[in-house]
Coordinates of all heavy atoms in Angstrom, one line a residue:
M1 N -105.5 10.3 17.0 CA -105.1 9.1 16.3 C -104.6 8.0 17.2 O -105.2 7.0 17.4 CB -103.9 9.4 15.2 CG -103.4 8.4 14.5 SD -102.5 8.8 13.1 CE -103.8 9.3 11.9
I2 N -103.5 8.4 18.1 CA -103.2 7.5 19.2 C -103.0 8.4 20.4 O -102.3 9.4 20.4 CB -101.9 6.8 18.9 CG1 -101.9 5.9 17.6 CG2 -101.3 6.0 20.1 CD1 -100.6 5.4 17.2
E3 N -103.8 8.1 21.5 CA -103.6 8.8 22.8 C -102.6 8.0 23.6 O -102.9 6.7 23.8 CB -105.0 8.7 23.4 CG -106.0 9.6 22.8 CD -107.4 9.5 23.3 OE1 -107.5 8.9 24.5 OE2 -108.3 10.0 22.8
V4 N -101.5 8.6 23.9 CA -100.4 8.0 24.6 C -100.5 8.4 26.1 O -100.4 9.5 26.4 CB -99.1 8.3 23.9 CG1 -97.9 7.7 24.8 CG2 -99.0 8.0 22.5
Q5 N -100.4 7.3 27.0 CA -100.2 7.4 28.4 C -99.1 6.7 28.8 O -98.7 5.7 28.1 CB -101.5 7.0 29.1 CG -102.8 7.7 28.8 CD -102.7 9.2 29.3 OE1 -102.2 9.5 30.3 NE2 -103.3 10.1 28.4
P6 N -98.5 6.9 29.9 CA -97.4 5.9 30.4 C -97.8 4.5 30.5 O -98.8 4.2 31.2 CB -97.0 6.5 31.7 CG -97.3 7.9 31.8 CD -98.6 8.1 30.9
G7 N -97.2 3.6 29.7 CA -97.6 2.3 29.7 C -98.8 1.9 28.9 O -99.2 0.7 28.9
S8 N -99.4 2.8 28.1 CA -100.6 2.4 27.4 C -100.8 3.4 26.2 O -100.3 4.6 26.3 CB -101.9 2.3 28.2 OG -102.3 3.6 28.7
W9 N -101.5 2.9 25.2 CA -101.9 3.7 24.0 C -103.4 3.3 23.9 O -103.7 2.2 24.1 CB -101.2 3.3 22.8 CG -99.7 3.3 22.6 CD1 -98.8 4.0 23.5 CD2 -99.0 2.8 21.6 NE1 -97.5 3.9 23.0 CE2 -97.6 3.2 21.8 CE3 -99.2 2.2 20.3 CZ2 -96.6 2.8 21.0 CZ3 -98.2 1.8 19.5 CH2 -96.8 2.1 19.9
R10 N -104.0 4.4 23.3 CA -105.5 4.1 22.9 C -105.5 4.6 21.5 O -105.4 5.7 21.1 CB -106.5 4.9 23.9 CG -107.8 4.6 23.5 CD -108.7 5.3 24.6 NE -110.1 5.1 24.2 CZ -110.9 6.0 23.8 NH1 -110.4 7.1 23.4 NH2 -112.2 5.8 23.4
V11 N -105.8 3.6 20.7 CA -105.9 4.0 19.2 C -107.3 4.4 19.0 O -108.3 3.6 19.2 CB -105.5 2.8 18.3 CG1 -105.6 3.1 16.8 CG2 -104.1 2.3 18.6
T12 N -107.4 5.7 18.4 CA -108.8 6.2 18.2 C -109.1 6.3 16.6 O -110.3 6.6 16.2 CB -109.0 7.6 18.8 OG1 -107.9 8.5 18.3 CG2 -108.8 7.4 20.4
A13 N -108.1 6.2 15.8 CA -108.4 6.5 14.4 C -108.8 5.1 13.6 O -108.5 4.1 14.2 CB -107.1 6.9 13.7
P14 N -109.5 5.3 12.6 CA -109.8 4.0 11.8 C -108.4 3.4 11.4 O -107.5 4.1 11.0 CB -110.6 4.5 10.6 CG -111.1 5.8 11.0 CD -110.1 6.4 12.0
M15 N -108.4 2.1 11.5 CA -107.1 1.4 11.1 C -107.4 0.9 9.7 O -107.6 -0.4 9.5 CB -106.8 0.3 12.1 CG -106.4 0.8 13.5 SD -105.7 -0.4 14.7 CE -104.0 -0.7 13.9
R16 N -107.4 1.8 8.8 CA -107.6 1.5 7.3 C -106.4 1.9 6.5 O -105.6 2.7 7.0 CB -108.9 2.2 6.9 CG -110.1 1.7 7.7 CD -111.5 2.2 7.0 NE -111.5 1.9 5.6 CZ -112.0 0.6 5.1 NH1 -112.2 -0.3 6.0 NH2 -112.0 0.4 3.8
M17 N -106.4 1.5 5.2 CA -105.3 1.7 4.4 C -104.8 3.3 4.3 O -103.7 3.5 4.4 CB -105.6 1.2 3.0 CG -104.4 1.3 2.0 SD -103.0 0.3 2.5 CE -103.7 -1.4 2.1
E18 N -105.9 4.0 4.3 CA -105.6 5.5 4.1 C -104.9 6.1 5.4 O -104.3 7.3 5.3 CB -106.8 6.3 3.6 CG -108.0 6.2 4.6 CD -108.9 5.1 4.3 OE1 -108.6 4.2 3.6 OE2 -110.1 5.2 4.7
H19 N -105.0 5.4 6.4 CA -104.4 5.9 7.7 C -103.2 5.1 8.2 O -102.6 5.4 9.1 CB -105.4 5.9 8.9 CG -106.7 6.7 8.7 ND1 -106.6 8.1 8.7 CD2 -107.8 6.3 8.2 CE1 -108.0 8.5 8.4 NE2 -108.6 7.5 8.1
A20 N -102.9 4.0 7.4 CA -101.8 3.1 7.9 C -100.5 3.7 8.0 O -99.9 3.5 9.1 CB -101.7 2.0 7.0
A21 N -100.0 4.5 7.1 CA -98.7 5.1 7.2 C -98.6 6.0 8.4 O -97.5 6.0 9.2 CB -98.3 5.7 5.9
A22 N -99.7 6.8 8.6 CA -99.6 7.8 9.7 C -99.7 7.1 11.1 O -99.0 7.4 12.0 CB -100.8 8.8 9.6
L23 N -100.5 6.0 11.2 CA -100.7 5.2 12.4 C -99.3 4.5 12.7 O -98.9 4.5 13.9 CB -101.7 4.2 12.2 CG -103.1 4.7 12.5 CD1 -104.1 3.6 12.1 CD2 -103.3 5.0 14.0
L24 N -98.7 3.9 11.7 CA -97.4 3.3 11.9 C -96.3 4.2 12.4 O -95.7 4.0 13.5 CB -96.9 2.6 10.6 CG -95.5 1.9 10.7 CD1 -95.5 0.8 11.7 CD2 -95.2 1.4 9.3
A25 N -96.2 5.4 11.8 CA -95.3 6.4 12.2 C -95.6 6.9 13.6 O -94.7 7.1 14.4 CB -95.2 7.6 11.3
A26 N -96.9 7.3 13.9 CA -97.3 7.7 15.3 C -97.0 6.6 16.4 O -96.5 7.1 17.4 CB -98.7 8.1 15.3
G27 N -97.2 5.4 16.1 CA -96.8 4.4 17.1 C -95.4 4.2 17.3 O -95.0 4.1 18.4
C28 N -94.6 4.3 16.2 CA -93.1 4.2 16.4 C -92.6 5.4 17.1 O -91.7 5.2 17.9 CB -92.5 4.1 15.0 SG -92.9 2.5 14.1
R29 N -93.2 6.6 16.9 CA -92.7 7.7 17.7 C -93.1 7.6 19.2 O -92.4 8.2 20.1 CB -93.3 9.1 17.2 CG -92.7 9.6 15.9 CD -93.2 10.9 15.5 NE -94.7 11.0 15.4 CZ -95.3 10.8 14.4 NH1 -94.7 10.5 13.3 NH2 -96.6 11.0 14.3
A30 N -94.2 6.9 19.4 CA -94.8 6.9 20.7 C -94.1 5.7 21.6 O -94.4 5.6 22.9 CB -96.2 6.6 20.7
L31 N -93.3 4.9 21.0 CA -92.6 3.7 21.7 C -91.9 4.3 22.8 O -91.2 5.2 22.8 CB -91.7 2.9 20.7 CG -92.6 2.0 19.7 CD1 -91.6 1.4 18.7 CD2 -93.3 1.0 20.5
Q32 N -91.9 3.5 23.9 CA -91.3 3.9 25.2 C -90.7 2.5 25.8 O -91.3 1.5 25.6 CB -92.1 4.7 26.2 CG -93.5 3.9 26.4 CD -94.5 4.7 27.1 OE1 -94.4 5.2 28.2 NE2 -95.6 4.9 26.3
P33 N -89.6 2.6 26.6 CA -89.1 1.4 27.2 C -90.1 0.8 28.1 O -90.9 1.5 28.7 CB -87.9 1.8 28.0 CG -87.5 3.1 27.4 CD -88.8 3.8 26.9
G34 N -90.2 -0.5 28.2 CA -91.1 -1.2 29.1 C -92.3 -1.8 28.3 O -92.4 -1.7 27.1
E35 N -93.3 -2.3 29.1 CA -94.5 -2.8 28.5 C -95.5 -1.8 28.1 O -95.7 -0.8 28.9 CB -95.2 -3.8 29.4 CG -96.2 -4.5 28.7 CD -96.9 -5.6 29.6 OE1 -97.7 -5.3 30.5 OE2 -96.4 -6.8 29.4
V36 N -96.0 -1.9 27.0 CA -97.2 -1.0 26.6 C -98.4 -1.8 26.0 O -98.2 -2.7 25.3 CB -96.6 -0.1 25.3 CG1 -97.7 0.8 24.8 CG2 -95.3 0.7 25.7
I37 N -99.5 -1.4 26.7 CA -100.7 -2.1 26.3 C -101.4 -1.2 25.3 O -101.6 0.0 25.6 CB -101.7 -2.3 27.6 CG1 -101.0 -3.0 28.7 CG2 -103.0 -2.8 27.1 CD1 -100.8 -4.4 28.3
V38 N -101.6 -1.7 24.1 CA -102.3 -0.9 22.9 C -103.8 -1.4 23.0 O -104.1 -2.5 22.7 CB -101.6 -1.4 21.7 CG1 -102.2 -0.6 20.5 CG2 -100.1 -1.1 21.8
D39 N -104.6 -0.4 23.4 CA -106.0 -0.6 23.6 C -106.7 -0.2 22.2 O -106.6 1.0 21.8 CB -106.6 0.2 24.6 CG -108.1 -0.1 24.8 OD1 -108.7 -0.9 24.2 OD2 -108.6 0.6 25.9
L40 N -107.2 -1.2 21.5 CA -107.9 -1.0 20.2 C -109.5 -1.0 20.4 O -110.2 -1.0 19.4 CB -107.6 -2.1 19.3 CG -106.0 -2.2 19.1 CD1 -105.7 -3.5 18.2 CD2 -105.4 -1.0 18.5
A41 N -110.0 -0.8 21.5 CA -111.5 -0.7 21.7 C -112.2 0.5 21.0 O -113.2 0.3 20.6 CB -111.7 -0.7 23.3
A42 N -111.5 1.4 20.8 CA -112.1 2.6 20.2 C -112.0 2.6 18.6 O -112.5 3.3 17.9 CB -111.5 3.9 20.7
V43 N -111.3 1.5 18.0 CA -111.2 1.3 16.5 C -112.5 0.9 16.1 O -112.9 -0.4 16.3 CB -110.1 0.4 16.2 CG1 -110.0 0.1 14.7 CG2 -108.7 1.0 16.7
A44 N -113.3 1.7 15.4 CA -114.6 1.4 14.9 C -114.6 0.8 13.4 O -115.4 0.2 13.0 CB -115.6 2.6 14.9
D45 N -113.4 1.1 12.8 CA -113.3 0.7 11.3 C -111.9 0.2 11.0 O -111.0 1.0 11.5 CB -113.7 1.8 10.5 CG -113.9 1.5 9.0 OD1 -114.1 0.3 8.7 OD2 -113.9 2.4 8.1
A46 N -111.8 -1.0 10.6 CA -110.4 -1.5 10.3 C -110.4 -2.4 9.0 O -111.4 -3.0 8.8 CB -109.9 -2.2 11.5
D47 N -109.3 -2.5 8.4 CA -109.2 -3.4 7.2 C -107.9 -4.1 7.5 O -107.3 -4.1 8.5 CB -109.2 -2.7 6.0 CG -108.1 -1.7 5.6 OD1 -107.1 -1.6 6.3 OD2 -108.3 -0.8 4.8
S48 N -107.4 -4.9 6.5 CA -106.2 -5.7 6.6 C -104.9 -5.0 6.9 O -104.0 -5.5 7.5 CB -106.0 -6.5 5.3 OG -105.8 -5.7 4.2
S49 N -104.9 -3.6 6.6 CA -103.8 -2.8 7.0 C -103.5 -2.8 8.5 O -102.5 -2.5 8.9 CB -103.9 -1.4 6.3 OG -105.0 -0.8 6.9
A50 N -104.6 -3.0 9.3 CA -104.5 -2.9 10.6 C -103.5 -3.9 11.2 O -102.7 -3.7 12.1 CB -105.8 -3.1 11.4
V51 N -103.6 -5.2 10.5 CA -102.7 -6.2 11.0 C -101.1 -5.8 10.5 O -100.3 -6.0 11.4 CB -103.0 -7.5 10.3 CG1 -102.0 -8.7 10.5 CG2 -104.4 -8.0 10.7
A52 N -101.0 -5.2 9.4 CA -99.6 -4.8 9.1 C -99.1 -3.7 9.9 O -98.0 -3.7 10.4 CB -99.7 -4.3 7.6
V53 N -100.0 -2.8 10.3 CA -99.6 -1.7 11.3 C -99.2 -2.4 12.6 O -98.1 -2.0 13.2 CB -100.7 -0.7 11.4 CG1 -100.3 0.3 12.6 CG2 -100.8 0.1 10.1
M54 N -99.9 -3.1 13.1 CA -99.6 -3.9 14.4 C -98.3 -4.6 14.3 O -97.4 -4.5 15.3 CB -100.7 -4.8 14.9 CG -102.0 -4.0 15.2 SD -103.6 -5.0 15.1 CE -103.4 -6.1 16.6
L55 N -98.0 -5.4 13.4 CA -96.9 -6.1 13.2 C -95.7 -5.1 13.0 O -94.6 -5.3 13.4 CB -96.9 -7.0 11.8 CG -97.9 -8.2 12.0 CD1 -98.1 -8.9 10.7 CD2 -97.4 -9.2 13.1
G56 N -95.9 -4.0 12.3 CA -94.8 -2.9 12.2 C -94.5 -2.4 13.5 O -93.3 -2.2 13.7
W57 N -95.5 -2.1 14.4 CA -95.2 -1.6 15.7 C -94.4 -2.7 16.5 O -93.4 -2.4 17.1 CB -96.4 -1.4 16.5 CG -97.2 -0.1 16.0 CD1 -96.7 0.9 15.3 CD2 -98.6 0.1 16.2 NE1 -97.7 1.8 15.0 CE2 -98.9 1.4 15.6 CE3 -99.7 -0.6 16.9 CZ2 -100.2 1.9 15.6 CZ3 -100.9 -0.1 16.8 CH2 -101.2 1.2 16.4
L58 N -94.8 -4.0 16.3 CA -93.9 -5.0 17.0 C -92.5 -5.1 16.6 O -91.6 -5.3 17.3 CB -94.7 -6.3 16.8 CG -96.0 -6.6 17.6 CD1 -96.7 -7.8 17.2 CD2 -95.7 -6.6 19.1
R59 N -92.4 -4.9 15.2 CA -91.0 -5.0 14.6 C -90.1 -3.8 15.2 O -89.0 -4.0 15.4 CB -91.1 -5.0 13.1 CG -89.7 -5.1 12.5 CD -89.9 -5.2 11.0 NE -88.6 -5.3 10.5 CZ -88.2 -5.3 9.2 NH1 -89.2 -5.1 8.3 NH2 -87.0 -5.4 8.8
A60 N -90.8 -2.7 15.4 CA -90.0 -1.5 15.9 C -89.8 -1.4 17.3 O -88.9 -0.9 17.9 CB -90.7 -0.2 15.5
A61 N -90.6 -2.1 18.1 CA -90.5 -2.0 19.6 C -89.2 -2.5 20.2 O -88.7 -1.8 21.1 CB -91.7 -3.0 20.2
P62 N -88.6 -3.4 19.7 CA -87.3 -3.9 20.4 C -86.3 -2.7 20.3 O -85.4 -2.6 21.1 CB -86.8 -5.0 19.7 CG -88.1 -5.7 19.1 CD -89.0 -4.5 18.8
H63 N -86.3 -1.9 19.3 CA -85.3 -0.7 19.1 C -85.5 0.2 20.2 O -84.6 1.0 20.5 CB -85.5 -0.2 17.8 CG -85.2 -1.1 16.6 ND1 -84.0 -1.6 16.3 CD2 -86.1 -1.7 15.8 CE1 -84.1 -2.3 15.3 NE2 -85.3 -2.5 15.0
S64 N -86.7 0.3 20.9 CA -87.0 1.2 22.0 C -87.0 0.4 23.3 O -87.5 1.1 24.3 CB -88.3 2.0 21.7 OG -88.2 2.8 20.5
R65 N -86.7 -0.7 23.3 CA -86.7 -1.6 24.4 C -88.2 -1.8 25.0 O -88.4 -1.6 26.2 CB -85.8 -1.1 25.6 CG -84.4 -1.3 25.2 CD -83.4 -1.0 26.2 NE -83.6 0.3 27.0 CZ -83.2 1.5 26.7 NH1 -82.7 1.8 25.7 NH2 -83.6 2.6 27.5
S66 N -89.1 -1.8 24.0 CA -90.6 -1.9 24.4 C -91.1 -3.3 24.1 O -90.6 -4.0 23.4 CB -91.3 -1.0 23.4 OG -91.0 0.4 23.6
T67 N -92.2 -3.6 25.0 CA -92.8 -4.8 24.7 C -94.3 -4.5 24.5 O -94.8 -3.8 25.4 CB -92.8 -5.8 25.9 OG1 -91.4 -6.0 26.1 CG2 -93.5 -7.0 25.7
L68 N -95.0 -4.8 23.4 CA -96.3 -4.4 23.2 C -97.2 -5.5 23.4 O -96.9 -6.8 23.1 CB -96.5 -4.0 21.7 CG -95.6 -2.8 21.3 CD1 -96.0 -2.4 19.8 CD2 -95.9 -1.5 22.1
R69 N -98.4 -5.2 23.9 CA -99.6 -6.2 24.0 C -100.7 -5.5 23.6 O -101.0 -4.4 23.8 CB -99.6 -6.6 25.5 CG -98.4 -7.4 26.0 CD -98.7 -8.1 27.3 NE -97.6 -8.8 27.8 CZ -97.1 -10.0 27.3 NH1 -97.6 -10.5 26.3 NH2 -96.0 -10.4 27.8
F70 N -101.6 -6.3 22.8 CA -102.8 -5.7 22.3 C -104.1 -6.1 22.9 O -104.3 -7.2 23.2 CB -102.9 -6.1 20.8 CG -101.7 -5.7 19.9 CD1 -100.6 -6.5 19.7 CD2 -101.6 -4.3 19.5 CE1 -99.5 -6.0 18.8 CE2 -100.6 -3.8 18.7 CZ -99.5 -4.7 18.4
A71 N -104.8 -5.1 23.4 CA -106.1 -5.4 24.1 C -107.3 -4.9 23.2 O -107.1 -4.0 22.4 CB -106.1 -4.6 25.4
N72 N -108.3 -5.7 23.4 CA -109.6 -5.3 22.7 C -109.4 -5.3 21.1 O -109.9 -4.3 20.5 CB -110.2 -4.0 23.1 CG -110.4 -4.0 24.7 OD1 -111.1 -5.0 25.1 ND2 -109.8 -3.1 25.4
I73 N -108.7 -6.3 20.6 CA -108.6 -6.3 19.1 C -109.9 -6.5 18.5 O -110.6 -7.4 18.9 CB -107.6 -7.5 18.7 CG1 -106.2 -7.3 19.3 CG2 -107.6 -7.6 17.2 CD1 -105.3 -8.5 19.1
P74 N -110.4 -5.7 17.6 CA -111.5 -5.8 16.9 C -111.8 -7.3 16.3 O -110.8 -7.8 15.7 CB -111.6 -4.8 15.8 CG -110.7 -3.7 16.3 CD -109.6 -4.5 17.0
A75 N -113.0 -7.8 16.3 CA -113.2 -9.1 15.9 C -112.8 -9.3 14.4 O -112.1 -10.4 14.0 CB -114.6 -9.5 16.0
G76 N -113.0 -8.4 13.6 CA -112.6 -8.5 12.2 C -111.0 -8.5 11.9 O -110.5 -9.2 11.1
V77 N -110.4 -7.6 12.8 CA -108.9 -7.7 12.7 C -108.3 -9.1 13.3 O -107.5 -9.6 12.6 CB -108.3 -6.5 13.5 CG1 -106.8 -6.6 13.5 CG2 -108.8 -5.2 12.9
A78 N -108.9 -9.6 14.3 CA -108.5 -10.8 14.8 C -108.8 -11.9 13.8 O -108.0 -12.8 13.6 CB -109.3 -11.2 16.1
A79 N -109.9 -11.8 13.0 CA -110.2 -12.8 12.1 C -109.2 -12.8 10.9 O -108.7 -13.8 10.4 CB -111.6 -12.7 11.5
L80 N -108.8 -11.6 10.6 CA -107.8 -11.4 9.5 C -106.5 -12.0 9.9 O -105.9 -12.7 9.2 CB -107.6 -10.0 9.1 CG -108.9 -9.4 8.3 CD1 -108.7 -7.8 8.2 CD2 -108.8 -10.0 6.9
A81 N -106.1 -11.8 11.1 CA -104.9 -12.3 11.7 C -104.9 -13.8 11.7 O -103.8 -14.4 11.3 CB -104.5 -11.7 13.1
D82 N -106.0 -14.3 12.1 CA -106.1 -15.8 11.9 C -105.9 -16.3 10.5 O -105.3 -17.3 10.3 CB -107.6 -16.3 12.6 CG -107.6 -16.2 14.1 OD1 -106.5 -16.2 14.8 OD2 -108.7 -16.1 14.6
L83 N -106.6 -15.7 9.6 CA -106.7 -16.1 8.3 C -105.2 -16.0 7.6 O -104.8 -16.9 6.9 CB -107.5 -15.1 7.5 CG -107.5 -15.3 5.9 CD1 -108.2 -16.6 5.5 CD2 -108.3 -14.2 5.2
Y84 N -104.4 -14.9 8.1 CA -103.0 -14.7 7.6 C -102.0 -15.7 8.4 O -100.9 -15.7 8.1 CB -102.6 -13.4 7.6 CG -103.4 -12.4 6.9 CD1 -103.6 -11.2 7.3 CD2 -104.1 -12.8 5.7 CE1 -104.5 -10.2 6.6 CE2 -104.9 -11.9 5.1 CZ -105.0 -10.6 5.5 OH -105.8 -9.8 4.9
G85 N -102.5 -16.4 9.4 CA -101.7 -17.2 10.2 C -100.7 -16.4 11.1 O -99.6 -17.0 11.4
V86 N -101.0 -15.2 11.6 CA -100.1 -14.4 12.3 C -100.8 -14.0 13.6 O -100.2 -13.3 14.4 CB -99.7 -13.1 11.6 CG1 -99.0 -13.5 10.4 CG2 -100.9 -12.2 11.3
S87 N -101.9 -14.6 14.1 CA -102.5 -14.2 15.3 C -101.6 -14.5 16.5 O -101.6 -13.7 17.5 CB -103.9 -14.9 15.5 OG -103.8 -16.3 15.4
E88 N -100.8 -15.6 16.5 CA -99.9 -15.9 17.6 C -98.8 -14.8 17.8 O -98.1 -14.8 18.7 CB -99.3 -17.3 17.5 CG -98.3 -17.4 16.3 CD -99.0 -17.6 15.0 OE1 -100.2 -17.8 14.9 OE2 -98.3 -17.7 13.9
L89 N -98.6 -14.1 16.8 CA -97.6 -13.0 16.7 C -98.1 -11.7 17.4 O -97.4 -10.8 17.6 CB -97.1 -12.6 15.3 CG -96.4 -13.7 14.7 CD1 -96.0 -13.3 13.1 CD2 -95.2 -14.3 15.3
L90 N -99.4 -11.7 17.7 CA -100.0 -10.4 18.3 C -100.3 -10.7 19.8 O -101.4 -11.2 20.1 CB -101.4 -10.1 17.5 CG -101.2 -9.8 16.1 CD1 -102.5 -9.6 15.5 CD2 -100.2 -8.7 15.8
P91 N -99.4 -10.4 20.7 CA -99.5 -10.8 22.1 C -100.6 -10.0 22.7 O -100.9 -8.8 22.3 CB -98.2 -10.4 22.8 CG -97.5 -9.5 21.7 CD -98.1 -9.7 20.4
R92 N -101.3 -10.6 23.6 CA -102.4 -10.0 24.3 C -102.0 -10.0 25.8 O -101.3 -10.7 26.3 CB -103.6 -10.9 24.1 CG -104.1 -10.7 22.6 CD -105.2 -11.6 22.3 NE -105.7 -11.5 20.9 CZ -105.3 -12.1 19.8 NH1 -104.3 -12.8 19.9 NH2 -105.7 -11.8 18.7
P93 N -102.6 -9.0 26.5 CA -102.4 -8.9 28.0 C -102.8 -10.2 28.7 O -103.6 -10.9 28.3 CB -103.2 -7.7 28.4 CG -104.0 -7.2 27.3 CD -103.6 -8.0 26.2

């Protein structure tokens, strides 16, 4: 689901509604102090819940003294973030 390395995560699960709660929880458990690069290159399937999960991780990050940055955001997810007016809230490396 999420492969965690020091300073980085690699999301491997589809970021769809049926996985959203588990992804949110897994990411919150994986938060670590410092900067974390969240690599979404392996996300082959995503819907609007991906944006909600990413925002949820960002909301939880300060509680762990974490700073998240998103790399390789799938085009469809980026388009949804633009549509919702929240793309500027998704920091990139």
Side-chain angles (χ1 to χ4, degrees):
M1 184 164 281
I2 299 177
E3 297 172 3
V4 178
Q5 299 293 324
S8 69
W9 301 350
R10 183 171 179 262
V11 180
T12 58
M15 294 186 79
R16 298 193 53 81
M17 185 65 71
E18 58 268 22
H19 302 283
L23 278 167
L24 179 61
C28 288
R29 283 191 306 272
L31 287 168
Q32 52 194 294
E35 184 174 86
V36 176
I37 302 297
V38 181
D39 184 1
L40 303 175
V43 175
D45 193 18
D47 61 19
S48 60
S49 66
V51 176
V53 168
M54 294 163 70
L55 292 172
W57 290 337
L58 286 169
R59 184 174 180 190
H63 299 289
S64 298
R65 297 185 316 272
S66 297
T67 302
L68 300 181
R69 297 198 182 278
F70 298 98
N72 303 307
I73 297 174
V77 174
L80 287 169
D82 285 340
L83 177 68
Y84 302 149
V86 298
S87 55
E88 69 279 353
L89 299 177
L90 303 176
R92 292 167 174 95

